[in-house]
Amino acid sequence: MKLAWRTKIGLALGFGLGLWLVSSGRAFAQEGPTTAELAVAMNTFFLLVAAALVFFMQAGFAMLTAGLTRAKNTTNILFKNLMDFVMCSLAFWAVGWGLAYGTSAGGFIGTDQFFLSHITAEGEVPVLASWFFQVVFAGTAATIVAGAMAERTKFVAYLIYSFIISLFIYPVVVHWVWSGAGWLNTYSGSTEGNWGFTDFAGSTVVHSVGGWASLVGAMILGPRLGRFGPDGKPRAIPGHNMSLAALGTFILWLGWFGFNPGSQLAIASQADADAVAMVAVTTNLAAAAGALGALFTAWLRYGKPDLGQTLNGVLGGLVAITAGCAYVDPLAAIIIGFIAGPVVVFSAELLEKLKIDDPVGAVPVHLVNGIWGTLAVGLFASIPGNTGTTGLFYGGGLTLLISQVVGVVAIGLWTVATAALMFFALKATIGLRVSKAEEEAGLDIGEHGMVAYPDLAPLPTGSTVSGAPAN
């Protein structure tokens, strides 16, 4: 069959266009991103989203602490939670990052990369993206202290110690564990390190550091007025808003899905995706189990289900699983989390017996469960930790557990010594605690001349509310 001349011309043009597209398509492909570049972009995006979730935890800490303390101190609480991340961001950019991730001096401290500038390396996630992920972790360590020292600490003292924790105390610990060159865990192209200390996302590196500083600060500061009677018996000082406390807990729970899964640092491969999914599941299960553990314990001891203890049980479970979330299976995560619940309740009772005032339970949640979760890796790890061995209950012997004990003790001694020096220095110079009159009136008025609830609380003449003159 003969083709019409128009059909022949159309076929010829189509054939020519096809040849052009085929020949030029290679050039287009070469100009687009490679598979490796796409992997870097995906990992960078994952890291930034995870960092944003962790940053949102600052709001969670603010709501939780405000809710569990009295209305007259709400503005002060919110202000401190705002400013600790402000101070942390500047301190960690100027010095903290360099101490944490700079070239190592004997495995103890970093020596360069101060005042971090734009650094890129082909085929790697940008350094500034890594800094952003790490600075929100530093902010978490600093903000933990606010809860334990709430309702009686000077605002200016708080600004200074938040800055110092982010500038020096926390970064040194990071260098020991996460820098790849620290003495607690030096990587040499294998999973085995010097001590092999294993803390995936910071049960000890972040939470115990904040918890140790909280304990030292609360002890040096002393309890709130009226917290203990003349006979030494504890007196309850209820928080003013359990709705805020519950909201804060939900925000923190959400933020932890950036905190722990984000610590995989990558998601572009199948192995990374599998690891991130496992971490998310173990994190969630431990939180749920922690809530039940605290609920049942408090219910049995006090005769009523206690919302405050259960909220802290959630947080205790989250803290406890943070070290081992990538190394344990879901059943082990439930066990670790469930144990964290009673740990919160009994630790809070112990603090009362010792007459240590911790208004929000920062020490039971972050310190005691940070220690428990770190040691639990040495017991329940079914995936080898940084010693190259599994936990005691999975046939790995004592090697990993011993490394965990060494890390917990070393980091505890460092943090206690440096935090004590810092708090005693502040107490001896500018002062650490507000006056009795300011504490009785509330830090909102005493420190800021404003209150969070102007419709409910009268203001002294001359005070301001959000900048507006009082009537």
Side-chain angles (χ1 to χ4, degrees), residues 70-83 150-159 434 438-439 441-452 459-470:
R70 290 168 288 186
K72 64 182 182 179
N73 298 306
T74 302
T75 295
N76 181 261
I77 293 295
L78 300 178
F79 209 161
K80 286 175 177 175
N81 276 270
L82 169 69
M83 293 307 299
E151 301 199 284
R152 61 221 195 265
T153 304
K154 284 186 175 182
F155 185 70
V156 65
Y158 183 84
L159 295 180
V434 299
E438 287 176 317
E439 185 174 345
L443 274 64
D444 287 5
I445 293 174
E447 290 273 83
H448 311 292
M450 60 177 63
V451 294
L459 285 170
T461 302
S463 297
T464 60
V465 180
S466 300

Side-chain angles (χ1 to χ4, degrees), residues 417-436:
T418 52
L421 179 62
M422 173 182 68
F423 285 126
F424 276 124
L426 287 171
K427 185 176 182 179
T429 52
I430 64 172
L432 194 57
R433 184 165 183 152
V434 299
S435 68
K436 180 181 178 181

Side-chain angles (χ1 to χ4, degrees), residues 374-393:
T374 304
L375 298 179
V377 177
L379 301 174
F380 293 98
S382 55
I383 296 173
N386 293 322
T387 56
T389 58
T390 55
L392 178 63
F393 297 157

Side-chain angles (χ1 to χ4, degrees), residues 173-421:
V173 174
V174 171
H175 189 81
W176 293 0
V177 181
W178 288 341
S179 68
W183 72 273
L184 272 178
N185 198 346
T186 302
Y187 294 94
S188 302
S190 70
T191 57
E192 296 188 10
N194 284 358
W195 277 101
F197 180 67
T198 302
D199 187 352
F200 183 75
S203 286
T204 286
V205 174
V206 177
H207 295 282
S208 286
V209 167
W212 282 118
S214 296
L215 178 62
V216 173
M219 292 175 67
I220 295 174
L221 191 61
R224 289 168 292 174
L225 296 175
R227 182 65 175 88
F228 298 97
D231 57 359
K233 292 183 179 180
R235 295 173 174 174
I237 302 179
H240 85 282
N241 193 325
M242 292 305 294
S243 297
L244 286 181
L247 175 61
T249 302
F250 279 118
I251 292 173
L252 289 168
W253 196 338
L254 171 65
W256 237 284
F257 294 128
F259 205 98
N260 287 1
S263 293
Q264 181 67 19
L265 306 180
I267 201 170
S269 70
Q270 181 67 55
D272 287 329
D274 290 343
V276 167
M278 176 61 78
V279 169
V281 169
T282 55
T283 298
N284 189 64
L285 290 175
L292 286 181
L295 170 64
F296 294 153
T297 304
W299 203 337
L300 289 172
R301 290 187 68 77
Y302 311 136
K304 298 284 185 180
D306 187 291
L307 176 58
Q309 294 281 23
T310 305
L311 293 176
N312 273 344
V314 171
L315 300 179
L318 288 166
V319 169
I321 199 59
T322 294
C325 54
Y327 301 98
V328 304
D329 58 37
L331 177 59
I334 292 172
I335 296 171
I336 293 169
F338 190 84
I339 293 173
V343 167
V344 164
V345 176
F346 291 124
S347 298
E349 292 182 357
L350 177 61
L351 288 182
E352 285 192 337
K353 291 179 181 178
L354 297 173
K355 296 182 176 56
I356 299 172
D357 185 16
D358 178 1
V360 304
V363 173
V365 168
H366 298 280
L367 172 56
V368 184
N369 269 306
I371 293 172
W372 156 238
T374 304
L375 298 179
V377 177
L379 301 174
F380 293 98
S382 55
I383 296 173
N386 293 322
T387 56
T389 58
T390 55
L392 178 63
F393 297 157
Y394 287 78
L398 292 171
T399 302
L400 182 55
L401 181 59
I402 290 171
S403 76
Q404 300 304 90
V405 172
V406 170
V408 165
V409 172
I411 292 169
L413 290 173
W414 164 260
T415 309
V416 168
T418 52
L421 179 62

